Amino acid sequence: MKYVEEFRDPKLAENLAAVIRAEADSAREYNFMEFCGGHTHAIFRYGVQDLMPDNVHFVHGPGCPVCILPVRRLDDAIELADRHGVILCSYGDMLRVPGTKRRSLMVAKSEGADVRMVYSTLDALKIARENPDKQVVFLGIGFETTTPPSALAIKQASEEELENFTLFCNHVLTPAAIRHILDAPEIDPEEAVRLDGFLGPSHVSTVIGSQPYEFLADKYQKPVVIAGFEPLDVMQSVLMLIRQVNEGRVEVQNQYARVVTREGNERAQDLVDEIFEIRPAFEWRGLGSVPESALSIREKYAAFDAEKRFEISEKVSREVKSCECPAILRGVKKPKDCKLFGNVCTPETPMGSCMVSSEGSCAAYWTYRRAETLAEMAAERDLEPAQ
Amino acid sequence: MCLAIPAQVTRLGDDGMATVSLGGVVKDISVELLDKVEVGDFVLVHVGYALHLISEEEAQRTLAMMAEGGLLDEELAEIAQEGEAA
Amino acid sequence: MTPASKARFRKGERVAMSHGGGGRAMADLIRNIFAHHFANPLLDQKHDATLIARPEGRIVISTDGHVISPLFFPGGDIGSLAVHGTLNDVAMGGGKPIALSAGFIIEEGFPLDDLDRIAASMGEAARAAGMPIATGDTKVVERGKGDGVFITTTGIGVVDDAVDIGPHRIKPGQAVVLSGPIGDHGVAIMASRQNLEFGTQITSDSAALHHMVADMLAAVPDIALLRDPTRGGLSATMNELVDGADFGLIMDEAAIPVRTEVASACELLGLDPLHIANEGKLVCICDMDKVQTLLDVMAQHDEGREARCIGEVCADQPGFVRMKTAIGGMRVVDWLSGEQLPRIC
């Protein structure tokens, strides 16, 4: 696989690891937040942490669209499938996420709702064409990467006058979330993590470019390196961040230059702008209400907006109490700090979204680093004074 | 987030669709999000859509940087100059 | 279809409730399709139950239900799979095959043409393996209450008294050998499912492994363990072994063979090849100094030509399967959680 295997080469990895070890200043700590779940997944799947010196730390950010979707919005999607009798199409990732009372789309399906896993909005459109007498709703989730395909689907449906297709729009915006983490007005300063820099999103940036992150360097004085998702991309980006920190530079650098430009994909941006507008605020699991952080469908395309076509009831949605997903998503706690981790919360019986999504931090620690994490938890328990 | 993979365009349709090939797997995807694409180009595919072209030149540059221990452009240029001078 | 077989049922004929009703229609179905393709001396006894002469050694028995969709896939079909699946389980116990029983649950309306193809493939696989289908059963369920056809097979075999295979013989320091590239079956199946729509030349690895196993046991009689990594892939098999055990397993990602097409399909769908199903592969645990002997024997068979040592049994971190990653890090290898769903992130 061209452009994949080269970036997993063990020799180059060894080389990069040696340079990082040589250049990381042993007198200080480096805390870098990888915003994207894709980076979290790559770091754990390839054991990148094992090749880093002890003073280089990854702080896992909220960049997993499955994890940050609030329970309320998931409950709404389940209601669409349950009560309005639609064919609800979703990417596979969302199907097992527990909503209120741990009821997921998969459970709704087993109870008779017509929930279908699709790979692409193209498949959802096809299902709408093949079932003209049924309403087909596509559950749109994701960051700027997944938004253009949703926009195209609406445009296509509009051109074809496909009257039975709507989008339940939950698309969210990356820069707004990063800004919110740094402002973090609601976070106790004592629990806040000092971040020395960001590994910037890979595929989000192919669409929006590197330009939208420049405020991070200008206003917040945080180094940023747009990083690819392959393990060597992550390692090289860490090296670039270490160099910025060591030299006192604060810049937006682009390690993922093979697909990311400063401007991004302007055709896709224009299309998104034509179909969507910015919501005044949107609820993120873990972050609370974040201003101007999500998209809704413009009035012109209201006919394709599931929120306008169906009456979605007011409801009280509940997350599992004592689930630490919110703090973990902000990077202020680690999965081992959650009492539920590995105890009652596992990928088979997930209590929160961070354990369901393969990009969630809890799932990553459980799946790839369980042995070490459980040992650490046991050691910490032993240290606690007897009560 | 956002699983996406590099694949090579092997056929262009006239309906905004294209066939791509990735290590022996072929798939029909939409290239509507690209301004311009030709057979032979490598594109980044996400949920059935090509998001961006892949630059071979930049990929080679990145790999060269990794091989040099992640040296920055200027340092690479310096090495090249020294090489020429020698 | 040959003219001779055409006469066995009407063109376009479908399975009706009467085919499972115990009357003439059922007798015709059994004679014209199953008995026609399975024909062997054991089945020809025509009893309610089949008598088999007592063999020397111990009896091994295994059963497996087959509910695969689609029924026909590149490299096989539910019929050959129903033979290989059970036959391999018998072989993993160190058994030489004796006979197979087959139970069919058929959905009303299922084309007889398809049933005939499946039975033909099953008969052929059983003959090739030297494991006659000695007895069977047919039931028909109403339309909508099945998914075409389900086949449950039970196999019996005989194990030499000298052979002792089982998890109790696994010890730290032993080697883990894998017979070939992983994930072919699962990817071939996914490629032929309608909603995923991708093309690949990959075919299922569905195959009978007992000939190779017989040669392996002849060369290295003290093999500690044999397992075929089917559903849940290699990771499930490895995790089953360490579950509650006083040892762990360490694999080397670079040593695990995966075909490019399988790796690519996994990248496309966001899946891990370690979780993808196989139907013609085996994992063998043996003493480290026997590895080369085994690899030499396995290389004599199509099913083992790409066999490799992929890891070892370790004493530290008991209960965990770990893997040295392609770039030199370490990670745990977990079971597949939930259903295998393609993901976007």
Side-chain angles (χ1 to χ4, degrees):
Chain A
M1 279 172 286
K2 193 167 161 65
Y3 301 121
V4 174
E5 270 150 33
E6 306 96 294
F7 296 94
R8 296 177 187 170
D9 181 85
K11 281 219 172 60
L12 285 178
E14 202 179 305
N15 186 41
L16 277 171
V19 181
I20 289 171
R21 275 196 303 275
E23 296 197 19
D25 178 356
S26 58
R28 60 158 302 154
E29 302 290 310
Y30 298 87
N31 290 307
F32 300 132
M33 175 178 270
E34 83 275 7
F35 180 83
C36 284
H39 285 132
T40 311
H41 185 79
I43 288 164
F44 281 88
R45 173 165 183 179
Y46 293 96
V48 173
Q49 184 76 67
D50 295 331
L51 301 173
M52 295 288 138
D54 292 340
N55 58 335
V56 172
H57 310 283
F58 292 108
V59 181
H60 317 302
C64 158
V66 175
C67 302
I68 57 89
L69 187 74
V71 171
R72 168 65 202 272
R73 300 290 290 188
L74 173 61
D75 286 347
D76 288 348
I78 294 172
E79 181 192 332
L80 282 170
D82 268 349
R83 203 167 68 89
H84 295 281
V86 307
I87 300 176
L88 189 96
C89 299
S90 169
Y91 294 129
D93 315 51
M94 278 310 299
L95 298 186
R96 295 179 54 236
V97 181
T100 296
K101 294 190 179 158
R102 300 181 53 204
R103 195 156 181 275
S104 64
L105 284 166
M106 199 72 114
V107 171
K109 180 172 185 251
S110 70
E111 290 170 4
D114 196 346
V115 176
R116 301 192 194 176
M117 191 267 303
V118 293
Y119 172 76
S120 169
T121 53
L122 297 168
D123 304 332
L125 287 172
K126 195 168 145 202
I127 290 172
R129 285 184 207 110
E130 287 167 359
N131 297 275
D133 53 337
K134 295 277 277 183
Q135 286 292 323
V136 174
V137 178
F138 180 74
L139 171 55
I141 60 149
F143 292 88
E144 290 88 339
T145 328
T146 315
T147 311
S150 288
L152 257 188
I154 289 188
K155 202 168 160 82
Q156 182 77 32
S158 168
E159 282 167 9
E160 288 181 36
E161 297 176 18
L162 207 54
E163 285 170 3
N164 62 331
F165 177 84
T166 52
L167 173 78
F168 181 43
C169 180
N170 294 282
H171 290 295
V172 287
L173 302 170
T174 309
I178 300 183
R179 188 190 299 270
H180 188 80
I181 290 169
L182 288 170
D183 286 341
E186 83 284 19
I187 297 177
D188 176 353
E190 288 197 8
E191 69 167 346
V193 186
R194 211 200 102 74
L195 295 176
D196 299 297
F198 283 90
L199 287 167
S202 315
H203 296 150
V204 161
S205 307
T206 63
V207 176
I208 66 173
S210 64
Q211 192 270 337
Y213 307 103
E214 287 170 5
F215 76 95
L216 278 167
D218 298 342
K219 181 168 173 223
Y220 293 91
Q221 291 294 300
K222 297 292 181 192
V224 180
V225 175
I226 313 286
F229 276 148
E230 295 302 331
L232 293 193
D233 291 323
V234 173
M235 293 178 72
Q236 190 182 29
S237 301
V238 166
L239 177 61
M240 289 163 82
L241 281 172
I242 288 174
R243 284 176 177 168
Q244 284 204 40
V245 170
N246 288 356
E247 293 161 21
R249 282 183 292 124
V250 179
E251 295 166 20
V252 175
Q253 285 183 299
N254 179 14
Q255 183 276 334
Y256 200 31
R258 59 188 184 274
V259 261
V260 174
T261 59
R262 185 168 181 276
E263 291 72 30
N265 182 339
E266 287 170 304
R267 185 181 166 102
Q269 291 166 26
D270 291 346
L271 181 78
V272 166
D273 191 47
E274 183 193 335
I275 307 287
F276 298 110
E277 61 191 2
I278 293 181
R279 286 180 198 259
F282 191 77
E283 183 80 13
W284 290 53
R285 184 183 277 194
L287 302 185
S289 176
V290 182
E292 302 191 338
S293 66
L295 299 173
S296 59
I297 298 167
R298 284 188 189 276
E299 196 52 42
K300 187 181 168 200
Y301 293 98
F304 303 96
D305 189 343
E307 286 177 82
K308 299 223 168 87
R309 177 162 311 175
F310 303 98
E311 199 175 313
I312 300 172
S313 65
E314 284 299 316
K315 55 177 80 70
V316 181
S317 293
R318 279 215 189 86
E319 294 191 35
V320 175
K321 272 191 225 160
S322 72
C323 164
E324 295 280 11
C325 273
I328 291 165
L329 281 167
R330 288 200 304 269
V332 297
K333 285 202 174 168
K334 294 217 159 166
K336 69 176 171 60
D337 304 322
C338 179
K339 281 198 275 274
L340 305 180
F341 180 86
N343 188 5
V344 288
C345 184
T346 67
E348 273 68 41
T349 55
M351 296 288 153
S353 51
C354 298
M355 188 57 99
V356 186
S357 165
S358 51
E359 293 205 348
S361 298
C362 296
Y365 275 87
W366 177 264
T367 307
Y368 297 128
R369 259 189 132 71
R370 185 161 71 247
E372 293 88 335
T373 310
L374 292 178
E376 262 181 68
M377 286 172 77
E380 282 175 21
R381 263 199 310 276
D382 292 345
L383 281 178
E384 279 171 18
Q387 303 219 333
Chain B
M1 66 164 286
C2 317
L3 193 80
I5 39 138
Q8 188 170 32
V9 176
T10 55
R11 190 191 65 89
L12 281 172
D14 46 10
D15 49 356
M17 297 294 288
T19 305
V20 294
S21 150
L22 146 91
V25 169
V26 291
K27 179 134 184 89
D28 289 334
I29 62 154
S30 164
V31 288
E32 287 273 330
L33 293 171
L34 302 179
D35 280 326
K36 172 170 140 241
V37 61
E38 285 167 26
V39 169
D41 284 348
F42 277 85
V43 294
L44 189 71
V45 180
H46 172 63
V47 297
Y49 293 82
L51 286 183
H52 213 283
L53 290 175
I54 298 174
S55 158
E56 165 70 14
E57 195 187 331
E58 290 292 349
Q60 287 309 324
R61 243 162 56 93
T62 304
L63 285 170
M65 275 160 71
M66 289 170 175
E68 299 289 341
L71 298 180
L72 292 175
D73 307 354
E74 305 87 78
E75 296 170 86
L76 266 183
E78 264 177 46
I79 292 172
Q81 271 173 11
E82 280 166 18
E84 277 166 25
Chain C
M1 218 186 299
T2 60
S5 67
K6 212 172 201 170
R8 291 183 286 112
F9 51 90
R10 290 194 314 277
K11 194 174 188 298
E13 191 178 348
R14 289 172 180 272
V15 171
M17 291 307 291
S18 59
H19 283 121
R24 157 107 33 215
M26 189 169 109
D28 286 349
L29 182 82
I30 291 172
R31 187 181 57 245
N32 291 333
I33 293 192
F34 297 126
H36 175 80
H37 290 298
F38 299 168
N40 65 69
L42 290 176
L43 197 60
D44 292 346
Q45 290 178 14
K46 293 185 177 172
H47 285 303
D48 274 357
T50 302
L51 299 174
I52 296 171
R54 184 169 53 198
E56 286 285 314
R58 291 158 300 159
I59 293 287
V60 58
I61 180 164
S62 185
T63 194
D64 211 344
H66 300 270
V67 296
I68 194 162
S69 166
L71 297 170
F72 302 93
F73 49 85
D77 55 64
I78 191 170
S80 54
L81 191 68
V83 172
H84 295 153
T86 298
L87 168 66
N88 288 346
D89 286 343
V90 166
M92 294 309 118
K96 294 189 183 78
I98 296 177
L100 201 64
S101 99
F104 292 82
I105 295 174
I106 312 167
E107 188 181 9
E108 182 187 13
F110 190 70
L112 279 192
D113 227 354
D114 285 352
L115 189 65
D116 192 57
R117 266 176 78 191
I118 291 167
S121 155
M122 226 175 143
E124 194 183 314
R127 259 190 305 280
M131 194 184 206
I133 299 169
T135 183
D137 177 55
T138 308
K139 295 283 185 309
V140 178
V141 293
E142 284 170 40
R143 199 182 179 94
K145 296 198 170 162
D147 188 12
V149 60
F150 300 143
I151 306 175
T152 300
T153 48
T154 300
I156 54 170
V158 57
V159 183
D160 197 288
D161 279 329
V163 170
D164 180 21
I165 292 174
H168 63 282
R169 298 220 20 248
I170 301 177
K171 284 185 215 61
Q174 286 175 330
V176 180
V177 171
L178 172 69
S179 65
I182 55 170
D184 294 7
H185 178 72
V187 165
I189 296 300
M190 281 187 272
S192 45
R193 282 201 180 142
Q194 270 196 339
N195 58 348
L196 291 177
E197 287 178 1
F198 63 92
T200 166
Q201 300 296 313
I202 280 285
T203 57
S204 168
D205 61 353
S206 176
L209 298 172
H210 62 298
H211 290 303
M212 180 167 77
V213 169
D215 287 356
M216 288 165 72
L217 280 169
V220 183
D222 63 345
I223 284 174
L225 186 105
L226 291 166
R227 278 281 163 96
D228 59 340
T230 53
R231 261 176 314 167
L234 182 62
S235 68
T237 296
M238 301 298 262
N239 275 288
E240 276 167 23
L241 293 176
V242 299
D243 195 25
D246 58 358
F247 57 84
L249 291 165
I250 295 193
M251 299 193 282
D252 181 0
E253 185 169 21
I256 301 173
V258 182
R259 293 190 205 284
T260 306
E261 291 91 334
V262 170
S264 305
C266 286
E267 291 289 331
L268 183 77
L269 302 171
L271 304 173
D272 189 333
L274 295 172
H275 291 154
I276 310 285
N278 311 280
E279 285 295 345
K281 295 295 176 308
L282 66 80
V283 165
C284 170
I285 296 183
C286 66
D287 289 342
M288 203 55 95
D289 59 0
K290 304 284 171 48
V291 168
Q292 199 49 53
T293 313
L294 270 183
L295 291 178
D296 291 344
V297 170
M298 294 168 83
Q300 304 299 312
H301 295 263
D302 283 344
E303 295 77 27
R305 227 173 281 296
E306 294 170 79
R308 297 245 209 114
C309 177
I310 59 160
E312 63 181 284
V313 183
C314 59
D316 63 323
Q317 302 219 0
F320 286 100
V321 180
R322 284 172 297 157
M323 183 161 82
K324 183 173 161 236
T325 72
I327 64 159
M330 268 299 217
R331 65 140 152 135
V332 168
V333 172
D334 203 8
W335 301 84
L336 169 69
S337 68
E339 198 184 334
Q340 198 164 60
L341 298 170
R343 61 190 188 92
I344 54 157
C345 58

